[in-house]
Amino acid sequence: MAISSNGMPTKTQIAAVINKIIQRQDKPITLGGIQKELFGTYKVKPEMLAEILAGQVRIKAVYQWPDLRNRKRFWIYDLEMYAQRLVLEILSKQALTRTELQNTLKRQLFGCPLKRVIELRKKILTRFLRQKRLFMHPPVSHQKLARFGVGLPALAPYFKKVKEEFNTVCQKLAKAGIPQNEILLAVKEVFNLIPSGPSVDMETNIDSTDTAATISGPVCKAILEKIVEIEPAAKQQVLVSIPALRTALDFSKMLFDRAILRLAEQEKVFLHRHVYPFQMTDAERLNLVADEHGNYYMGIVLRSSM
Amino acid sequence: MINPFQYTIVTDPWNLASVDVHEINASAFQRCCEALDRVRAEGRSTSVLLYGEAGSGKTHLLARLRSYLKNQAHMSVFVAVRLHTSPNRFWRHLRKSFVESLLRIAQGNRSQLEFVFMRRLYLHSRKKHLTLKQLRQDIDELSVEADLSWNVSKAIENLVRKRHRRDSVAWLKGDLLPSTVLEKIGLAPGYDEMEDVEDQACEIVKELCRLAGPTIPVVICFDQVEALQRYPRDVEGLFTFGQAIRSLHDETNNVLLVSCLQSFFLEQLKTAVTQPDYAALAINESTLNPLTFKESLKLVKARIDSCAEISELRDSLYTEFETKLKEVVWMKTGRTAREVLARCADLFEAWGKSKSLKAVYPEPKLSDAEFLADQITFREERAIQDIQPEHMEEVIQDAVPVLVHVLDENWSEQDQNRPRDIDIILESPNLKVAISLCNQQSLRSLAGRFKRLGNQIREDNLDKIFVIRHPELPISLGAKKTRKYLERLKQHKAVFYSPDIELIAALEALRSLLADAKAGDLSNNGNTVSSSTVINWLKKTMNISVLAFIDQIIGESDTTKGEDFEIMQDLRSLLEEERVIKLVDAALKLATDPDTLQTLVREFPRQIGLLQGQPSVLFQFIPESVRG
């Protein structure tokens, strides 16, 4: 490394060493902390250090974090970007309420003031919900507050009361000699769930069910047919890429994702996960299918029994 | 009591786990067997591409395939290749792995190579007993029939006749041998100085396939394909892999090529290789899918059955684990075998504690950082024991470009237009550094290489050349011509470097750790540790001697360290002759001062011995592991 004419390192060289020190930290570091790690001729006066760091912050080589006990702190990650990644990581493990998320964030943001954590939580949650990178999970039975997760909520818990009620009705009607399949037919009639005939209009069906998130047989059938169309060898268990399948079908994200998960639950397909989804760009990840456990699926394989 | 679920990774296809549930991945296995039957029946090479999630049992499936082949009445050859290599030495790596596999014991105490060779000889002569003269004649005829080169045929003859075994194996694996040794074992010298070592290795691999002949299929299994990607968006290694597979497919007629990768990597592979290459490597495809509930249950029961110590508790364990599997472990979209086993290991531990059983449990749970630190220590220790001088080249060529990029993303390896005597070219926006690995045992070859390098450094636009030679291969003080050319090289920005064994071991540990992480084969208590986790951890904790070495290569100044290594090199050479020498005498002979020499020797305690006193004495240090 070249040295300036008086034998002392130049400002650029000191800045490079400072950046290396900051890069090696696993949390934001104070000016004093940096000063301690500087050695030999790289040790500079605090004013000079502050000046160099201000320059590095200006060119975004490092980022300034909120002060801790009136001490300036610096890190390689920008606070907001780091918080965004943290939110996804936290919620990929478990869906949480706003307050639970906020408290977890507070604990993991290295002494960031509560006011700033609240601002970040609001901003990130709103943005991610809009981008469908996060999903709201309405409260289930005894819960009072909505939760937020990286995947769509599991639907079964929402039908717990309905199921209990349905079982009661079934028991009552069984006494009158009405079999369960008759009751199920009646339920379909009551809720208008019987398809209008073999010539179901796929698009209408999809649009009308999109928000209700009811995955009809024709949607799943269309997906299975498209898999074979894209990859004729799919019947021999060759993997089809989920992003390619999504592009070929042009369904809404929510409908497509639910249908894919439903097909797996029905044991009609195997799904293959992406091991490192958080190494992908947001746009790439959005093309995968996420479940409520934080898994991201990138490939689909027809089961041999198909 | 042993936890029956604790072993979750099969790392070597040569070792089939004690428990193998045939129903798991049965269709993928079937696809491999059918492809093998076609090779045999049609006399044509073919391929199978297998993919699944990390932990889905790819290596386990290869182990099952090997075990199946071993028990078949028809003979076949099994070759396992873990793709921990640089794209620029792909064929050399394949050659080495091929020969190592051929030397594995097939039955009794005979290697696959011996079986294959004997079988070919028998088919050729149909005689059960041969005189030495007849044997030589048959070998000659067989060499013509299989189109084998003189050296391959001679090296194999040596092995079968149990003569010059070590040197013949070394040559077959691609190690450079002095011409005197080549002559002694009957091989033609000069063969190793052909224009392109990669072409040479490629030809030897094909010759070995031809040696097996049309009646003995060769099953080459490529595992950890992901490790060919040195850094994100790097396609060179995958491209080379595609080309190599196509070449093997098109130019052989008895080979089954099995490639394994993670499903998420499939699209990257398709993008990196040409369409005809992909077609050649994926003639047959099969997925290794997440386990169904039924398969998981079978796996769990098989593991419980395999543990004799818990046979009395078997029925209660069945019931316990069937319920737990459904309630706690199972996921509707399925789980990989590794995940099922890891979760069950935890459940078994909890169950054992609840029953107050005195149990031997696996190591305590570690954080990723602790786990990685453990792994590095273990791998370094193993490498120090196993590593030989001839491994240095592949370790450096594979590890250095990857680690340089880990430490500074502006650096990458330049793969095109590499001059003949340069093994690695590293480029950043400001600098271009070349590395030449000079482990020639013959000082004549070494002098030739130094001479050519001297010309290249002037012609090519290089900022620096790093000349690296193994510490156990000193250049004797009498090798005047070699030293003269080296001296001339140094006047033109070249730095001579002789890394110590610890550094090579540290590099080997790092490259294997990164390759395992890329291939999804690094598992901490059932959770896959990603390559980005490893890279982030390495950035903070990389071995200080590796850091210093990389800094030497990509740093802008290096003269001081370069000189240090030069002095050390000369001192080692001096001690080869003298064994023990006074510090002051050594300093005088090396044209340095005693204080500098003493400081330097202290920096390398495992290379040179120092006894302080009146007078201080230097002696040749021989590590304990090397002593007879």
Side-chain angles (χ1 to χ4, degrees):
Chain A
M1 195 180 277
I3 304 287
S4 65
S5 56
N6 60 2
M8 297 299 287
T10 62
K11 268 190 188 175
T12 321
Q13 288 163 346
I14 297 170
V17 171
I18 291 172
N19 283 349
K20 276 198 178 166
I21 291 172
I22 297 176
Q23 272 168 25
R24 292 175 77 97
Q25 305 305 316
D26 50 14
K27 59 181 181 184
I29 181 168
T30 60
L31 279 171
I34 298 170
Q35 187 73 282
K36 258 188 212 164
E37 293 208 21
L38 285 172
F39 51 88
T41 51
Y42 290 93
K43 245 188 188 351
V44 289
K45 288 183 179 165
E47 304 82 58
M48 166 83 101
L49 180 60
E51 187 195 322
I52 292 172
L53 274 166
Q56 293 302 299
V57 170
R58 254 197 316 279
I59 60 166
K60 295 193 174 166
V62 298
Y63 295 91
Q64 187 161 357
W65 275 57
D67 295 359
L68 185 65
R69 291 186 278 277
N70 289 328
R71 282 185 294 180
K72 285 191 166 54
R73 296 184 301 164
F74 301 87
W75 206 18
I76 198 72
Y77 302 109
D78 168 45
L79 169 62
E80 191 171 328
M81 294 297 287
Y82 185 75
Q84 282 185 17
R85 213 177 69 187
L86 212 51
V87 166
L88 288 175
E89 268 179 33
I90 293 167
L91 295 181
S92 68
K93 287 176 193 149
Q94 190 189 359
L96 297 176
T97 65
R98 281 189 179 85
T99 319
E100 285 169 341
L101 173 64
Q102 193 173 291
N103 292 342
T104 316
L105 262 182
K106 174 84 178 79
R107 276 196 301 276
Q108 297 188 23
L109 278 177
F110 310 107
C112 186
L114 184 60
K115 198 177 157 194
R116 184 81 178 103
V117 175
I118 295 171
E119 276 171 24
L120 283 169
R121 189 262 295 156
K122 278 184 187 167
K123 196 171 169 185
I124 295 170
L125 216 49
T126 314
R127 184 186 306 155
F128 282 0
L129 285 170
R130 201 174 52 236
Q131 293 173 349
K132 293 198 170 29
R133 291 171 71 184
L134 291 179
F135 297 90
M136 191 174 79
H137 298 191
V140 180
S141 57
H142 64 279
Q143 294 174 344
K144 288 182 182 163
L145 295 169
R147 269 120 178 103
F148 300 88
V150 292
L152 294 165
L155 298 184
Y158 294 94
F159 292 99
K160 199 178 164 194
K161 276 190 180 169
V162 177
K163 195 180 166 193
E164 283 168 8
E165 186 68 20
F166 178 74
N167 286 340
T168 317
V169 172
C170 284
Q171 279 165 12
K172 266 188 198 169
L173 294 175
K175 286 176 192 164
I178 300 169
Q180 204 176 27
N181 56 352
E182 295 264 332
I183 302 168
L184 281 170
L185 270 176
V187 170
K188 285 182 178 173
E189 262 180 43
V190 171
F191 289 101
N192 282 331
L193 294 177
I194 293 178
S196 55
S199 59
V200 174
D201 179 346
M202 282 295 300
E203 287 308 314
T204 317
N205 190 324
I206 290 158
D207 287 345
S208 63
T209 55
D210 197 356
T211 47
T214 306
I215 309 304
S216 63
V219 175
C220 292
K221 194 167 166 252
I223 290 177
L224 294 175
E225 284 171 359
K226 191 55 89 178
I227 290 173
V228 181
E229 192 186 313
I230 293 177
E231 175 56 78
K235 283 182 179 167
Q236 283 87 50
Q237 294 213 310
V238 165
L239 180 135
V240 170
S241 136
I242 282 181
L245 183 61
R246 187 191 293 282
T247 312
L249 275 164
D250 202 27
F251 288 166
S252 73
K253 177 170 169 58
M254 193 180 281
L255 181 69
F256 179 84
D257 289 6
R258 286 224 166 122
I260 295 287
L261 293 172
R262 174 64 58 86
L263 282 168
E265 283 171 21
Q266 290 172 346
E267 301 188 349
K268 289 186 174 164
V269 296
F270 288 111
L271 296 181
H272 284 228
R273 282 170 293 182
H274 197 295
V275 197
Y276 313 125
F278 290 101
Q279 286 178 13
M280 305 172 88
T281 65
D282 291 348
E284 285 169 341
R285 200 169 42 244
L286 210 59
N287 264 326
L288 308 183
V289 169
D291 69 8
E292 76 264 26
H293 303 292
N295 297 307
Y296 285 84
Y297 299 97
M298 50 63 57
I300 186 163
V301 178
L302 293 181
R303 286 208 177 192
S304 51
S305 54
M306 285 294 301
Chain B
M1 188 187 299
I2 301 291
N3 187 330
F5 304 105
Q6 68 179 312
Y7 299 109
T8 59
I9 289 193
V10 176
T11 52
D12 184 359
W14 292 94
N15 303 325
L16 181 61
S18 53
V19 179
D20 182 30
V21 180
H22 293 279
E23 289 86 343
I24 296 175
N25 295 323
S27 65
F29 179 67
Q30 189 58 30
R31 189 67 43 90
C32 294
C33 295
E34 286 165 5
L36 180 67
D37 291 344
R38 273 201 298 282
V39 173
R40 229 188 272 277
E42 297 170 13
R44 200 166 47 169
S45 296
T46 189
S47 65
V48 182
L49 179 62
L50 299 172
Y51 40 78
E53 290 181 15
S56 59
K58 295 181 284 294
T59 312
H60 186 107
L61 186 73
L62 296 184
R64 187 190 292 170
L65 183 61
R66 191 198 75 82
S67 167
Y68 166 81
L69 296 176
K70 196 178 161 191
N71 298 319
Q72 282 276 297
H74 297 296
M75 188 186 282
S76 47
V77 173
F78 182 83
V79 175
V81 188
R82 294 177 95 190
L83 290 169
H84 293 194
T85 189
S86 151
N88 299 315
R89 53 181 306 123
F90 182 90
W91 283 105
R92 278 173 280 174
H93 179 72
L94 178 53
R95 171 183 177 176
K96 185 168 163 265
S97 306
F98 203 125
V99 172
E100 282 170 352
S101 291
L102 280 178
L103 294 172
R104 292 269 189 161
I105 298 299
Q107 265 171 22
N109 58 358
R110 289 212 163 155
S111 67
Q112 292 200 97
L113 181 66
E114 280 176 273
F115 269 107
V116 167
F117 195 64
M118 294 303 191
R119 171 90 182 147
R120 277 305 297 267
L121 273 184
Y122 175 73
L123 288 175
H124 178 76
S125 65
R126 298 278 171 190
K127 287 177 196 159
K128 287 193 176 171
H129 302 285
L130 291 169
T131 62
L132 188 59
K133 193 178 167 193
Q134 282 170 330
L135 175 70
R136 280 193 182 138
Q137 192 183 339
D138 282 355
I139 289 174
D140 280 348
E141 286 167 12
L142 180 60
S143 301
V144 174
E145 191 180 300
D147 191 16
L148 303 183
S149 62
W150 167 266
N151 276 10
V152 167
S153 150
K154 194 70 197 167
I156 292 169
E157 184 190 330
N158 284 342
L159 291 179
V160 173
R161 291 178 61 194
K162 303 197 189 306
R163 298 166 69 222
H164 313 300
R165 198 176 153 77
R166 202 187 65 182
D167 291 330
S168 300
V169 167
W171 182 85
L172 275 172
K173 282 159 80 172
D175 297 344
L176 296 175
L177 300 178
S179 51
T180 46
V181 175
L182 288 173
E183 276 166 30
K184 192 181 85 188
I185 65 174
L187 303 189
Y191 190 88
D192 297 326
E193 289 172 16
M194 274 169 55
E195 193 58 25
D196 191 317
V197 277
E198 279 290 278
D199 287 349
Q200 191 189 114
C202 166
E203 195 40 53
I204 298 229
V205 168
K206 286 173 194 164
E207 280 188 50
L208 293 172
C209 293
R210 287 201 295 272
L211 171 72
T215 58
I216 306 174
V218 179
V219 182
I220 308 181
C221 299
F222 295 98
D223 203 2
Q224 301 195 328
V225 174
E226 303 84 355
L228 285 170
Q229 194 173 49
R230 290 164 292 186
Y231 22 79
R233 292 178 292 284
D234 171 39
V235 293
E236 196 61 31
L238 298 173
F239 178 79
T240 308
F241 172 63
Q243 297 262 294
I245 291 275
R246 187 157 147 224
S247 165
L248 280 170
H249 172 262
D250 292 353
E251 293 169 42
T252 61
N253 57 14
N254 62 339
V255 177
L256 171 61
L257 299 150
V258 183
S259 311
C260 298
L261 60 140
Q262 291 180 75
S263 16
F264 86 89
F265 201 72
L266 186 63
E267 287 301 311
Q268 292 188 53
L269 178 72
K270 281 183 185 171
T271 317
V273 303
T274 66
Q275 203 279 328
D277 292 352
Y278 185 79
L281 83 87
I283 295 171
N284 302 281
E285 283 183 54
S286 196
T287 48
L288 279 69
N289 293 307
L291 302 192
T292 61
F293 181 74
K294 215 169 131 188
E295 287 169 340
S296 305
L297 198 58
K298 280 201 168 160
L299 176 62
V300 168
K301 286 187 173 175
R303 284 290 182 122
I304 293 172
D305 289 346
S306 72
C307 199
E309 279 181 292
I310 49 172
S311 56
E312 284 176 16
L313 304 163
R314 194 169 290 163
D315 290 337
S316 61
L317 276 170
Y318 281 170
T319 320
E320 174 82 11
F321 274 84
E322 184 163 359
T323 319
K324 292 280 187 201
L325 198 62
K326 206 172 272 173
E327 288 172 0
V328 189
V329 180
W330 190 242
M331 218 169 61
K332 281 174 187 164
T333 46
R335 278 199 184 270
T336 62
R338 188 186 295 167
E339 287 172 323
V340 169
L341 289 174
R343 299 290 90 82
C344 286
D346 290 344
L347 289 173
F348 185 85
E349 196 172 332
W351 178 82
K353 278 179 188 161
S354 73
K355 303 275 176 196
S356 306
L357 293 174
K358 197 180 173 189
V360 178
Y361 297 118
E363 295 293 309
K365 311 272 179 296
L366 302 173
S367 69
D368 278 352
E370 290 166 331
F371 167 75
L372 290 171
D374 244 27
Q375 282 287 316
I376 278 288
T377 311
F378 167 70
R379 285 166 198 247
E380 277 180 7
E381 282 168 2
R382 196 177 53 186
I384 282 184
Q385 282 174 12
D386 297 347
I387 214 134
Q388 300 295 322
E390 56 269 23
H391 295 149
M392 188 200 86
E393 291 199 2
E394 60 173 302
V395 171
I396 289 186
Q397 206 166 0
D398 186 19
V400 168
V402 177
L403 294 174
V404 163
H405 187 86
V406 164
L407 292 172
D408 187 343
E409 289 173 11
N410 289 317
W411 284 86
S412 57
E413 187 174 8
Q414 178 201 301
D415 298 299
Q416 309 301 327
N417 306 323
R418 210 159 21 90
R420 177 182 165 187
D421 295 294
I422 304 280
D423 297 287
I424 307 170
I425 294 185
L426 297 164
E427 267 187 314
S428 78
N430 308 320
L431 273 181
K432 194 169 172 182
V433 179
I435 298 177
S436 180
L437 303 167
C438 300
N439 274 352
Q440 281 75 10
Q441 300 217 9
S442 147
L443 289 175
R444 208 173 128 198
S445 302
L446 184 64
R449 188 158 168 114
F450 285 164
K451 190 179 172 188
R452 289 191 298 274
L453 277 172
N455 298 331
Q456 278 156 15
I457 201 169
R458 282 195 291 271
E459 288 164 18
D460 294 302
N461 185 22
L462 297 169
D463 294 299
K464 185 162 60 176
I465 282 197
F466 241 73
V467 177
I468 301 182
R469 187 165 168 84
H470 196 278
E472 287 175 22
L473 297 171
I475 303 168
S476 63
L477 293 171
K480 289 191 178 144
K481 225 171 194 180
T482 314
R483 285 181 165 266
K484 189 182 96 184
Y485 290 129
L486 180 60
E487 209 48 53
R488 196 181 295 168
L489 256 179
K490 284 185 209 157
Q491 286 163 10
H492 290 95
K493 304 172 276 188
V495 178
F496 186 72
Y497 200 107
S498 191
D500 57 33
I501 297 291
E502 278 80 8
L503 173 62
I504 301 169
L507 289 170
E508 167 62 20
L510 288 170
R511 80 163 180 151
S512 76
L513 188 76
L514 275 165
D516 281 350
K518 284 179 202 162
D521 285 344
L522 203 58
S523 162
N524 179 15
N525 193 34
N527 296 317
T528 305
V529 182
S530 74
S531 54
S532 65
T533 306
V534 177
I535 287 170
N536 287 335
W537 179 77
L538 281 180
K539 280 180 180 169
K540 291 176 197 161
T541 56
M542 193 171 307
N543 178 314
I544 197 73
S545 54
V546 174
L547 264 181
F549 175 58
I550 301 287
D551 260 1
Q552 282 273 299
I553 297 171
I554 62 175
E556 286 172 20
S557 166
D558 42 45
T559 45
T560 319
K561 272 285 178 186
E563 280 170 16
D564 288 353
F565 279 98
E566 201 182 316
I567 296 171
M568 285 302 289
Q569 172 73 17
D570 287 349
L571 180 56
R572 258 189 240 111
S573 174
L574 185 65
L575 286 171
E576 280 282 312
E577 291 163 15
E578 306 274 343
R579 309 287 176 197
V580 181
I581 189 169
K582 284 183 198 165
L583 178 73
V584 282
D585 292 348
L588 196 67
K589 287 196 175 189
L590 300 174
T592 182
D593 66 277
D595 288 345
T596 309
L597 193 59
Q598 184 164 333
T599 315
L600 199 54
V601 166
R602 281 206 181 117
E603 282 180 32
F604 298 90
R606 283 166 186 262
Q607 290 190 29
I608 308 286
L610 168 68
L611 268 179
Q612 275 187 303
Q614 292 298 334
S616 291
V617 171
L618 298 174
F619 60 93
Q620 196 178 22
F621 180 80
I622 300 169
E624 203 165 358
S625 58
V626 179
R627 287 177 205 156

